[in-house]
Amino acid sequence: MSKLLALVIVGIMAIQLIKPLGWPGLKRRSDFWKLALLAMAAISITAVLGHWA
C-alpha cells in the first residue's frame, strides 16, 4: 500500500512541476515540496498502521 501511495504522490509532484495544480497552497511550481511533506507523513502513517495490524 505504501508503494502505491508513494507512486501516486510522486506522479502528482511531477504534474505540479510541469503545470501547477492550482489547489490551495499549490499555486506555484516551486510548491511541490509541500507534496513531499505530505507524502512522508502519509507513508509514515501507513507504515505505523501496518505494524499495528
Side-chain angles (χ1 to χ4, degrees):
M1 183 65 177
S2 63
K3 290 180 183 180
L4 177 65
L5 182 62
L7 287 175
V8 168
I9 294 178
V10 166
I12 293 173
M13 286 172 57
I15 292 170
Q16 175 71 19
L17 282 173
I18 296 168
K19 182 176 187 280
L21 297 170
W23 297 346
L26 298 172
K27 301 285 184 190
R28 293 178 282 146
R29 288 183 182 177
S30 60
D31 289 337
F32 76 97
W33 65 270
K34 296 175 186 176
L35 291 168
L37 288 178
L38 173 70
M40 287 192 301
I43 291 171
S44 297
I45 291 170
T46 303
V48 167
L49 292 176
H51 286 289
W52 282 352

